[in-house]
Amino acid sequence: MPDHVLPAPPVASLAVAGSAARFPLRRIFCVGRNYAEHAREMGHDPDREPPFFFTKPTDAAFDAPEGGGVAIPFPPATRDLHFEIELSVAIGRGGTDIAEAEAPAHVFGHAVGIDLTRRDLQAQAKKLGRPWDMAKGFDLSAPHGAIVPVAAWNSPGAGAIWLDCDGERRQEADLAEMIWPVAGIIAALSRLVRLAPGDLIMTGTPAGVGAVAPGGVLAGGVAGLPGVSLRIG
Ligand code: MN
């Protein structure tokens, strides 16, 4: 190990179900507009505009297990904090130009996460043609349930996905509604960057996104995976 002029930052990580060892995070990639109804609710035509990628910093991710009583401060600089429930894919084996048929062999496991979004900053960025980073990549913007290794759960192609805000069901869809299925996402992303162990891909959110008020409680899930829940502010 080289000497550093400051203490090296800790490796960001997420819990792994049934394991004391954690999943070390290298990068977080996110898919935009991967469910047709969500693309439409955001004012876009999914038949004309394919999904795309953006990123969050790794230390935006944190454990927020269902029933864990996790609470975070309400994020600064927004009056319109939105929830987006998503299936996350944890990459265990890297590669470039990965064929769809080979993609499953690169997956370590899956988890459920929330892509917290400062929608007002995103709307402003879109209007001005500016990057989304400050709308998407802020501190604590990626709460997650535990990652389940593929040996225990490997059904990313279908199954219920949902989110409750303050006890009310707000998002409800099926993973089968993804425009790019998980294997297609891995293939597409691996043509843009060399995927590496520790990469996490948030695969996009279904329709029903909305604002959570200060003090609000979010709880969400994907059938068969441990849930995510937290209070905000
Ligand atoms: Mn999202």
Side-chain angles (χ1 to χ4, degrees):
M1 286 285 284
D3 283 342
H4 297 108
V5 297
L6 296 172
V11 175
S13 63
L14 286 172
V16 175
S19 173
R22 299 175 62 78
F23 183 83
L25 290 163
R26 185 170 187 272
R27 293 171 294 190
I28 302 175
F29 298 99
C30 306
V31 182
R33 298 177 206 145
N34 199 24
Y35 291 77
E37 283 308 311
H38 172 63
R40 289 190 193 99
E41 78 180 346
M42 298 304 291
H44 298 272
D45 178 354
D47 296 324
R48 296 184 55 183
E49 300 173 74
F52 55 91
F53 296 100
F54 59 93
T55 63
K56 290 177 185 269
T58 53
D59 58 5
F62 61 100
D63 297 328
E66 184 176 6
V70 172
I72 64 169
F74 197 85
T78 185
R79 292 180 172 188
D80 195 20
L81 180 70
H82 273 211
F83 48 80
E84 297 189 354
I85 192 72
E86 312 206 357
L87 174 71
S88 286
V89 180
I91 297 296
R93 184 153 71 80
T96 186
D97 294 318
I98 298 168
E100 284 193 31
E102 294 300 317
H106 292 260
V107 177
F108 170 82
H110 303 85
V112 61
I114 303 174
D115 170 14
L116 290 173
T117 300
R118 295 193 284 211
R119 195 71 78 198
D120 41 2
L121 296 194
Q122 187 192 31
Q124 188 179 45
K126 286 180 180 176
K127 192 171 151 194
L128 298 173
R130 290 179 179 168
W132 287 9
D133 301 48
M134 293 301 109
K136 290 289 196 177
F138 55 95
D139 298 339
L140 303 175
S141 59
H144 272 80
I147 295 172
V148 176
V150 290
W153 190 92
N154 198 12
S155 307
I161 179 169
W162 68 89
L163 180 133
D164 295 342
C165 179
D166 297 326
E168 188 182 329
R169 184 64 40 101
R170 300 289 297 276
Q171 293 187 271
E172 191 164 25
D174 195 284
L175 299 176
E177 296 168 36
M178 284 188 195
I179 296 170
W180 283 350
V182 168
I185 292 169
I186 292 169
L189 186 55
S190 77
R191 291 193 291 268
L192 293 167
V193 297
R194 178 179 294 279
L195 284 175
D199 288 339
L200 186 75
I201 309 171
M202 302 186 73
T203 59
T205 198
V209 300
V212 53
V217 174
L218 301 179
V222 163
L225 292 176
V228 59
S229 75
L230 74 163
R231 187 165 60 79
I232 301 179

